[in-house]
């Protein structure tokens, strides 16, 4: 039985001072009795988990045993006192009866009262402050993510929780079985030939050596301190709270084990187990497994290890990955690519370059990464044997089981893909995608929009790919060829039928021919990319983005008006939820806005703060920063101006690199 089977442990026992002291002593005794110098680090760590799990279970059992014994004793005493008082009434005995009843009631309601006190304190401290509690309160009520049924091929739908979990397990076991690859020896040579012909960047020997240096306890401690205790534990049941509370004792043990992985030792299989929970994709059929996104709940110890490797890798990723890729790369973001695309559309019209936008839909992109390809990519980028060995430790014998609505499937092996939920996965995926991007950039017969002596073809954010294509009758067949050959080596697969195209300035006869030849979804007016609608003409960007967003925000304000939130809480609500939606558009779309629109929305903010009543504080004071005695109500005009000025500042400090026009 793991700690995950004991819900009282993280919420009650690990918060009690006496339990913390007991655990401190148990950890110290474990290290004294088992000298780390005499045992393999991974064996010592797994043994520690078994010992401490047993200790925690014992403490929980003792806690409840004492509680039951006290209740039994008080119940017996109360019965005897009532019997005596009934035979011979006595004020002294009656007072003892009242006292005993009070003690018994206190014990019976101890947990409920504790919960009520904690909830009351939580609401008092955070009920109207910018915290997760207020965010959950503001979130629109949605249908529960319950799964009523899952379709099965050739039989009736799965409806029982265990049947549904098993059907998901069958689906993911097939997705992660790695059987699509040819024999490793042949494939490895093909991958190396493909990678070696590309002008990819590479780390220096000094940088590679820095990636592979031994992991220290001091390096681990900040990650343990920052763990969010609200996160769910992995299959072993050890919650983030356990690692956070006892981080000084655990960090040296973890460092020794992690360094063993960096040196080539494989982790025990139980450390690499994961629990998959599924999240429905918006607008998809909820009765099919493909309509859900799998999120892996990893054991916290391996998540910390992955975070250490990801932090090291993130320092060098900007030097390895082209500016076209902005997802999960330091100092880059979605606005960079959207603004660049808008600029390219403007240039295409100004220079009369017939072009189209093409958004590629990758099918299970993270889940299809081939591991043979992954190791060769890391080698080609010069990552170094120590770091590659450390990463490979996460992919030696991973297993997973699916949990849905109380049903838990059988475990199954994972033989390909990067886990969604692992801190390292987005970085590895960016490196895996870079060779394809470089092949497209270098291909002479895949044409993009020309700006001066440079050509721009790609905008990437993780698995989202947007291409700006010219000469499509020549470019698209060659693009198909690149995608097909790359997919055979890497596992990457494009769903052409779900990919979308938007005509920018192609002649109608060319569009007609393309519609007959390619099965893209042809968008008549707009194409969605990273939450923004792109249009063929810059003048239409406002029409297809702002009115619907403003309407949505006003609808939210009307909905929130029925919630019991203080007027200070309503100010925080605006800053947490409404303003970020607008700020994203301010930062991504370089278009002028009518000031009347901002003034109208600003007035809606004031009406929401005061619930339609007369303002009790002047608007000047409301907008003034808190440090100047104001209440920091968002000033939308200033937000809009600052978003545009920030972009100008980047241009002046970095030149055209900040826009990606390099």
């Amino acid at each position: 039985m793991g700690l995950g089977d004991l819900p009282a442990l993280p919420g009650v026992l690990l918060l009690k001072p006496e339990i913390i002291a007991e655990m401190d002593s148990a950890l110290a005794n474990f290290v004294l009795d088992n000298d780390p110098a005499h045992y393999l680090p991974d064996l010592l760590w797994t043994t520690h988990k078994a010992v401490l799990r047993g200790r925690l279970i014992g403490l929980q059992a003792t806690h409840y045993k004492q509680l039951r014994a006290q209740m039994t004793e008080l119940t017996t005493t109360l019965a005897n006192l009532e019997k005596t008082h009934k035979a011979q009434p006595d004020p002294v005995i009656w007072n003892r009866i009242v006292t005993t009843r009070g003690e018994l009631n206190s014990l019976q309601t101890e947990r409920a009262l504790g919960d009520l006190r904690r909830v009351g304190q939580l609401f008092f401290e955070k009920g109207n402050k910018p915290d997760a509690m207020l965010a959950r309160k503001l979130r629109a009520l949605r249908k529960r993510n319950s799964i009523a049924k899952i379709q099965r091929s050739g039989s009736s739908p799965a409806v029982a929780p265990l049947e549904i979990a098993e059907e998901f397990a069958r689906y993911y076991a097939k997705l992660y079985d790695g059987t699509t690859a040819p024999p490793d020896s042949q494939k490895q040579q093909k991958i190396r030939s493909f990678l070696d012909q590309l002008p990819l960047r590479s780390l220096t020997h000094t940088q590679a050596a820095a990636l592979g240096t031994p992991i220290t306890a001091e390096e681990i401690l900040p990650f343990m301190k920052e763990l969010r205790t609200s996160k769910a534990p992995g299959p072993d049941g050890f919650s983030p709270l356990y690692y956070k509370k006892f981080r000084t004792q655990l960090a040296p043990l973890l460092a020794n084990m992690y360094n063993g992985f960096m040196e080539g030792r494989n982790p025990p299989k139980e450390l690499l187990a994961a629990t998959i929970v599924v999240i429905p994709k918006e607008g998809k059929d909820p009765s099919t497994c493909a309509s859900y996104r799998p999120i892996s709940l990893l054991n916290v110890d391996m998540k910390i290890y992955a975070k250490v490797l990801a932090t090291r890798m993130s320092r060098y990723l900007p030097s390895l990955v082209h500016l076209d890729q902005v997802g999960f790369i330091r100092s880059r973001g979605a606005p960079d690519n959207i603004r660049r695309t808008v600029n390219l559309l403007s240039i295409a019209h100004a220079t009369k370059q017939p072009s189209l936008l093409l958004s590629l839909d990758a099918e299970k992109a993270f889940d299809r990464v081939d591991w043979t390809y992954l190791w060769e990519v890391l080698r080609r980028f010069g990552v170094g044997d120590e770091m590659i060995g450390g990463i490979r430790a996460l992919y030696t014998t991973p297993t997973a089981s699916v949990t849905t609505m109380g049903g838990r499937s059988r475990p199954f092996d994972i033989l390909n893909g990067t886990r969604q939920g692992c801190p390292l996965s987005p970085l590895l995926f960016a490196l895996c995608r870079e060779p394809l991007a470089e092949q497209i950039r270098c291909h002479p017969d895949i044409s993009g929009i020309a700006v001066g002596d440079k050509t721009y073809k790609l905008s990437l954010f993780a698995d989202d790919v947007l291409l700006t294509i010219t000469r499509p009758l020549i470019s698209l067949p060659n693009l198909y060829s690149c995608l097909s050959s790359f997919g055979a080596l890497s596992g990457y697969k494009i769903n052409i039928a779900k990919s979308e195209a938007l005509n920018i300035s192609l002649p109608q006869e060319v569009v007609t021919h393309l519609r007959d030849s390619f099965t893209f979804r042809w968008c008549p007016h707009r194409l969605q990319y990273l939450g923004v609608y792109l249009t063929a003409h810059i003048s239409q960007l406002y029409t297809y983005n702002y009115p619907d967003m403003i309407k949505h925000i006003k609808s939210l304000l009307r909905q929130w008006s029925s919630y019991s939130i203080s007027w200070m809480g309503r100010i925080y609500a605006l800053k947490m939820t409404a303003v970020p939606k607008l700020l994203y558009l301010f930062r991504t779309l370089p278009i002028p806005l009518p000031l009347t629109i901002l003034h109208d929305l600003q007035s809606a903010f004031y009406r929401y703060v005061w619930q339609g009543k007369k303002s009790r504080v002047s608007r000047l004071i409301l907008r003034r920063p808190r440090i100047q005695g104001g209440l920091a109500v968002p000033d939308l005009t200033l937000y809009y101006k600052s978003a545009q000025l920030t972009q100008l500042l980047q241009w002046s400090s970095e030149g055209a690199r900040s826009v990606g026009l390099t």
Side-chain angles (χ1 to χ4, degrees), residues 147-160:
I147 305 173
K149 65 178 180 179
I150 289 294
Q151 297 292 341
R152 293 186 287 197
S153 59
S155 62
S156 59
V159 292

Side-chain angles (χ1 to χ4, degrees), residues 135-348:
R136 285 193 294 268
K137 196 173 190 178
L138 297 174
R139 193 173 299 142
L141 294 177
R142 300 174 182 172
K143 292 177 64 176
R144 292 183 60 190
N145 291 336
S146 57
I147 305 173
K149 65 178 180 179
I150 289 294
Q151 297 292 341
R152 293 186 287 197
S153 59
S155 62
S156 59
V159 292
L162 184 57
E163 290 178 346
I164 291 174
E166 288 292 347
E167 187 61 27
F168 273 107
R170 278 189 286 272
Y171 175 79
Y172 290 123
K174 184 177 180 181
L175 180 63
Y176 298 129
D177 66 1
T179 57
T180 57
D184 273 1
S185 59
Q186 300 175 25
K187 185 165 190 176
Q188 189 176 46
Q189 187 56 47
K190 290 181 179 179
I191 293 171
R192 288 188 176 184
S193 299
F194 167 70
L195 295 175
D196 290 342
Q197 70 182 357
L198 296 173
L200 298 172
R201 302 160 185 80
S202 180
L203 295 176
T204 65
H205 291 297
T206 303
Q207 292 172 328
L211 279 177
T213 55
I215 297 173
T216 64
E218 290 72 23
E219 187 178 4
I220 297 171
L221 280 170
F223 301 117
M224 301 179 77
K225 186 177 181 180
E226 294 167 4
L227 286 171
R228 295 175 60 184
T229 56
S230 60
K231 292 290 185 180
D236 65 0
F238 281 89
S239 68
L241 181 61
Y242 171 76
Y243 289 87
K244 193 166 186 174
K245 285 288 185 183
F246 308 108
R247 57 183 179 273
T248 54
Q249 300 96 315
L250 298 177
L253 297 177
L254 286 172
N256 288 337
M257 180 175 67
Y258 295 164
N259 286 321
F261 300 158
M262 298 285 284
E263 294 165 4
R265 180 173 295 278
N266 292 336
K269 191 171 183 177
E270 58 266 27
L271 291 188
L272 296 177
T275 299
I276 292 179
V277 295
V278 294
I279 298 176
K281 297 179 181 178
E282 190 174 352
K284 302 289 185 179
D285 180 5
S287 66
T288 62
C289 293
S291 299
Y292 293 82
R293 181 174 290 106
I295 302 298
S296 296
L297 300 180
L298 308 177
N299 291 322
V300 178
D301 46 11
M302 297 310 290
K303 188 177 286 188
I304 294 171
Y305 176 59
K307 183 66 175 177
V308 171
L309 299 185
T311 301
R312 290 185 172 192
M313 183 72 77
S314 64
R315 299 170 191 152
Y316 303 105
L317 217 60
S319 65
L320 297 177
V321 178
H322 193 276
L323 284 167
D324 289 342
Q325 173 64 265
V326 298
F328 304 99
I329 311 293
R330 283 186 177 184
S331 304
R332 303 183 194 175
D336 299 336
N337 271 2
I338 296 174
R339 280 180 174 263
R340 183 177 73 169
T341 302
V342 172
N343 291 340
L344 289 173
L345 296 181
S346 178
I347 291 170

Side-chain angles (χ1 to χ4, degrees), residues 412-615:
F412 55 89
D413 294 329
I414 294 178
L415 301 174
N416 57 267
T418 58
R419 287 172 160 175
Q420 297 186 56
C422 173
L424 190 59
S425 291
L427 310 187
L428 295 179
F429 187 80
L431 290 174
C432 287
R433 178 68 68 82
E434 184 61 14
L436 171 64
E438 194 62 39
Q439 184 186 26
I440 293 173
R441 290 186 204 106
C442 296
H443 201 297
D445 289 322
I446 300 177
S447 302
I449 295 177
V451 182
D453 59 347
K454 296 183 180 180
T455 302
Y456 299 92
K457 310 175 185 179
L458 281 166
S459 295
L460 303 102
F461 186 97
D463 61 337
D464 287 303
V465 183
L466 184 71
L467 294 107
T468 46
I469 298 290
T470 59
R471 297 197 305 154
L473 295 178
I474 298 174
S475 297
L476 289 179
N478 286 288
L479 176 64
Y480 267 49
S481 178
C482 287
L483 293 173
S484 177
S485 60
F486 178 76
L489 298 176
S490 66
Y492 186 68
K493 185 178 180 181
I494 292 295
N495 191 331
I496 297 297
K498 292 185 178 180
S499 298
E500 296 183 337
L502 176 68
N503 176 27
I504 301 304
S505 52
L506 296 176
Q508 189 56 47
E509 60 272 15
V510 175
V511 175
T512 302
H513 181 76
L514 292 175
R515 286 178 180 270
D516 295 336
S517 304
F518 301 99
T519 56
F520 305 129
R521 290 179 179 173
W522 288 86
C523 304
H525 304 295
R526 61 185 185 178
L527 182 149
Q528 190 172 29
Y529 176 65
L530 301 181
V532 170
Y533 286 109
L534 298 175
T535 59
H537 299 280
I538 307 301
S539 59
Q540 297 175 318
L541 286 173
Y542 172 82
T543 302
Y544 283 106
N545 284 281
Y546 275 98
D548 286 345
M549 175 61 70
I550 292 171
K551 184 178 179 181
H552 173 63
I553 290 174
K554 289 184 176 180
S555 174
L556 286 178
L557 297 182
R558 288 192 296 271
Q559 178 184 333
W560 296 345
S561 295
S562 62
Y563 297 165
S564 178
I565 304 174
S566 70
W567 64 286
M568 288 295 293
R570 290 192 284 273
I571 293 175
Y572 288 128
L574 294 173
K575 300 175 73 171
M576 290 171 59
T577 306
V579 171
K581 297 177 186 295
L582 287 166
L583 187 57
Y584 183 70
L585 291 183
F586 293 167
R587 294 179 60 216
T588 55
L589 296 179
I591 57 176
L593 290 184
L595 290 181
T596 54
I597 297 296
L598 295 178
H599 293 160
D600 176 64
L601 196 52
Q602 187 76 50
S603 297
F605 281 10
Y606 293 138
R607 287 194 298 272
Y608 168 67
V609 169
W610 299 115
Q611 295 293 276
K613 300 176 183 177
K614 184 178 179 181
S615 173

